[in-house]
Amino acid sequence: MATPKEPAHYIFEMPMRVRDYEVDAQGIVNNANYLHYLEHTRHEFCRMAGMTFAEMHRQGIDPVLRRVEIIYLHSLGLGEEMVSKLNIRRDGARFIFQQDIFKHPGGEPVVRAEVTIVCIENGRLGRGDVLADVFDRFLH
Amino acid sequence: MATPKEPAHYIFEMPMRVRDYEVDAQGIVNNANYLHYLEHTRHEFCRMAGMTFAEMHRQGIDPVLRRVEIIYLHSLGLGEEMVSKLNIRRDGARFIFQQDIFKHPGGEPVVRAEVTIVCIENGRLGRGDVLADVFDRFLH
Amino acid sequence: MATPKEPAHYIFEMPMRVRDYEVDAQGIVNNANYLHYLEHTRHEFCRMAGMTFAEMHRQGIDPVLRRVEIIYLHSLGLGEEMVSKLNIRRDGARFIFQQDIFKHPGGEPVVRAEVTIVCIENGRLGRGDVLADVFDRFLH
Amino acid sequence: MATPKEPAHYIFEMPMRVRDYEVDAQGIVNNANYLHYLEHTRHEFCRMAGMTFAEMHRQGIDPVLRRVEIIYLHSLGLGEEMVSKLNIRRDGARFIFQQDIFKHPGGEPVVRAEVTIVCIENGRLGRGDVLADVFDRFLH
């Protein structure tokens, strides 16, 4: 991610607003909360794609994080709004989400992240084929 | 709150959905997160009433909690939706929020809470007159 | 809890220090985090008493909150230390924790809370007899 | 961080135990909480080095994250213990923390992270010289 380029297109995006308890003593959203925003965006994407996180869990599939790289570009403060955007690609057993958050309005980039997921299927590392089916029309 | 009666009417309500990271190892929303839901609802109410939490802070007014009583009635799980509802009354320097959360759809009561707020104004306990003005048309 | 009196004696206490991310934009520990402190104290108490929360879960016993009343007396800020103290009594199927947090050093009361727990045993409300055995020497 | 090698030596380490509310519906510590663990470790390191985060803030210095890369290797569950370890180096205006967390006992690596911090001094990006003085004996 040495020269992160913003893609021209995202397959999913959702608006969110900072909840004031997410802001820390520095007056900005605490760094860890962006991982919450990113996770929530992925889960809403899964819901839209046709399989909720709860449904995966019932089928014995647990997506788990393998790696996150996140670059903090502009901070968010009390009451601010954002748009959280996402692309996904598959690399063998790994699903790689490109996730970017922008201020709204204004559009300044807030964070840029690459999130790598693998699937634990019935307790062991799986090939992720069920997820690949769910994500089929979005993978590229 | 010995015999909590549900009011016939609320002055503010907003929909929310459980974010999956708010669910703990028991498979239900962790008890502390309801205080987050309640706080976020109060702040959105303030925004609707005309003064955001950030704006209060800039004016030297910091509402702080004095007391919370919360009764847990039904639990929420992964991906579930709720409606968070609120009434407010003033009692001297204290503002008392009656806050109830219901499942959606279904309507089962999730939590019932009474939240008492006082205002710290420029570092000391204030009378809350500025807030009372903001809330004027909602107080009863 | 109209006239909360501090007991002369607690059956369990533990030191904690504020983690800076728990402090919000007001410069004080966010109200919901006290429910985290209280929960963590109860779980450490259970561990000391001889049964961890994880072990309960494996035995099909899930303690869940029924009610919390918490009074906020003094706030904690960045880096401050506290002592979290606890007593417990049984009332039928309910376990009632009296939980108080004090600044350290100094001893000012931070929060005073009464937390009511019931036991879900294999999916339904239980009598709590297993927990009562665990807590036997502490109940009064 | 293509071939992360574990250093032979760390300048700071501290034990921590999972707080059960940090565990999510998958039964493992939620990914975002590791950023909390890492932040708390850095702040405790600063305290040990002689300047707390609160003191920095009072001097108009606010360290903010610029980048985090975190690799998740083994998960932590209810009640588990860890040791959080840290090294630091300076690269111009940036401070780069190498932070690793290991299970305790056992020693399996839990996460491996590289965290880049810059200093906002009185509202603008600073050179970080005050922090460099504080960290002087630890930088290499």
Side-chain angles (χ1 to χ4, degrees), chain A residues 52-72:
Chain A
T52 65
F53 190 74
E55 178 57 25
M56 292 179 201
H57 192 66
R58 274 191 293 273
Q59 296 198 15
I61 300 168
D62 277 307
V64 296
L65 262 64
R66 180 75 178 95
R67 178 180 175 276
V68 173
E69 180 182 4
I70 179 169
I71 297 180
Y72 297 88

Side-chain angles (χ1 to χ4, degrees), chain D residues 5 26 29 39 42 50 52 78-79 86 89-90 103 138:
Chain D
K5 278 185 298 188
Q26 292 185 316
V29 168
E39 175 183 308
R42 290 194 304 277
T52 65
L78 291 175
L86 172 158
R89 68 177 195 274
R90 189 182 185 185
K103 285 204 189 195
F138 304 106

Side-chain angles (χ1 to χ4, degrees), chain A residues 16-22 33 35-37 39-40 43-44 47 53-54 57 78-81, chain B residues 16-22 33 35-37 39-40 43-44 47 53-54 57 78-81:
Chain A
M16 302 176 80
R17 184 187 285 151
V18 173
R19 297 180 180 176
D20 292 340
Y21 63 80
E22 298 165 336
N33 285 318
L35 270 66
H36 283 155
Y37 296 160
E39 176 184 308
H40 186 52
H43 288 205
E44 291 298 300
R47 174 194 308 277
F53 190 74
H57 192 66
L78 292 174
E80 287 199 285
E81 291 178 82
Chain B
M16 303 177 79
R17 184 187 284 150
V18 172
R19 297 180 179 177
D20 292 340
Y21 63 79
E22 297 166 337
N33 285 317
L35 269 65
H36 282 156
Y37 297 160
E39 176 184 306
H40 187 52
H43 288 205
E44 291 297 302
R47 175 192 307 278
F53 191 71
H57 192 65
L78 292 174
E80 286 199 287
E81 291 179 81

